[in-house]
Amino acid sequence: MNLNIPSPITKLNSIFLKKKSVEIYVKRDDLIHEIISGNKSRKLKYNFMDAQTKDYTNILSYGGPYSNHLHALSYMSKKLNLKSIGVVRGQKYDKLNPTLSFCQINNMSFYYLNREDYRHKKYDPLNLQLFRKKYGEFYLIPEGGNNLLGLNGCSEILSEVDVNFDFFCCAVGTSCTASGIIRALKKNQFLIGFCPFLKILEQENNIKKWTKSDNWKLVPDLFFKGFGQIDQELTLFVKKFYWNYNIKLDLIYMGKLFYHLFNYIQRDFFKKNTKILVLHSGGLQGLHGFNFDFK
Ligand SMILES: *Cc1c(COP(=O)(O)O)cnc(C)c1O
């Protein structure tokens, strides 16, 4: 697969940032590949290498019905001649949404788990046994690629960065990406992880599992009503961001990240001459589910 790695770094220029004396650099992982963009390719890289080394032919993983992770994983599996199985949160609908249709085109098989079982029992031995009976042996990649191999792929992002930044900002789902970055930060650098949802305890605990450093902080969604919740203010922000900076943001992760970050800057949270590096973790495929366009 042809991946555009190292991905480029773009500096944002605007009167607002100039006035606030804050520099923002964006690590453009959204440009890594037109389909498996963003942090998903980072997290899957070593997982797929491991699966192939161990001669697995089936890959099983987990995600919600609009999962960028399953989207990328199905495509990568097909390219590498592997069969993919997606354990999907929630009920099965007759008509597949754009994300799952894409997965199906890539020959992904779906196994639906209701929300309750998905939350608490998706890794239960009994369920794994059920999956094995149905699909045969498989290589299991946890939800969001959140394991050591996933983390290691994300740590590599910083080896491609030559900007001397003070803050690293990224969007958080499982917090795998944030954990990998924190492990690669210098002591005088600080990570702010923007969570597009309200409860962040699980993500904080996940980070603590992987690192003892304390130069990081997660912030919950302060302006919107939780995961997947969007409104006109956000869609307008994302459109304006595209007009001003010529960079497309998705509504679930990156739109909310920049909305929150710009609010911090507006309120002078950062000292003058602070350099911020933002990871653009992709996610643009999700916009199809919203019928969104940037015009
Ligand atoms: C999946 C995803 C994230 C979350 O990454 P984690 O490693 O699970 O925290 C962030 N941004 C985008 C665009 C994503 O698709």
Side-chain angles (χ1 to χ4, degrees), residues 147-272:
N147 58 13
L148 184 60
L149 296 171
L151 253 81
N152 287 342
C154 293
S155 299
E156 283 182 357
I157 295 170
L158 284 187
S159 67
E160 300 166 14
V161 172
D162 53 7
V163 177
N164 251 325
F165 60 90
D166 306 296
F167 288 87
F168 188 100
C169 295
C170 67
V172 172
T174 60
S175 74
C176 172
T177 305
S179 305
I181 296 291
I182 292 166
R183 283 159 63 116
L185 283 179
K186 295 182 187 140
K187 280 204 177 65
N188 60 344
Q189 297 174 323
F190 195 94
L191 176 137
I192 306 177
F194 290 91
C195 303
F197 39 80
L198 308 172
K199 293 184 188 156
I200 61 175
L201 190 65
E202 201 177 309
Q203 283 73 15
E204 288 177 331
N205 286 336
N206 183 59
I207 295 177
K208 289 177 193 161
K209 214 171 74 189
W210 298 111
T211 174
K212 298 233 169 335
S213 326
D214 58 2
N215 51 338
W216 59 274
K217 180 181 168 55
L218 298 188
V219 277
D221 183 352
L222 302 170
F223 298 104
F224 307 98
K225 293 194 176 74
F227 193 69
Q229 301 294 317
I230 65 165
D231 64 14
Q232 267 192 351
E233 172 115 2
L234 182 66
T235 50
L236 188 60
F237 175 83
V238 162
K239 284 181 195 189
K240 282 192 181 156
F241 193 92
Y242 180 58
W243 301 334
N244 290 336
Y245 302 108
N246 200 29
I247 296 177
K248 291 181 176 175
L249 308 174
D250 77 305
L251 296 166
I252 305 289
Y253 292 103
M254 293 311 300
K256 287 188 181 176
L257 182 157
F258 273 108
Y259 189 95
H260 281 73
L261 178 60
F262 276 31
N263 180 268
Y264 271 43
I265 295 171
Q266 181 64 41
R267 292 188 284 115
D268 299 314
F269 174 85
F270 298 104
K271 283 196 217 126
K272 288 223 179 305

Side-chain angles (χ1 to χ4, degrees), residues 269-281:
F269 174 85
F270 298 104
K271 283 196 217 126
K272 288 223 179 305
N273 302 317
T274 296
K275 285 191 174 64
I276 302 169
L277 181 66
V278 178
L279 175 67
H280 193 324
S281 43

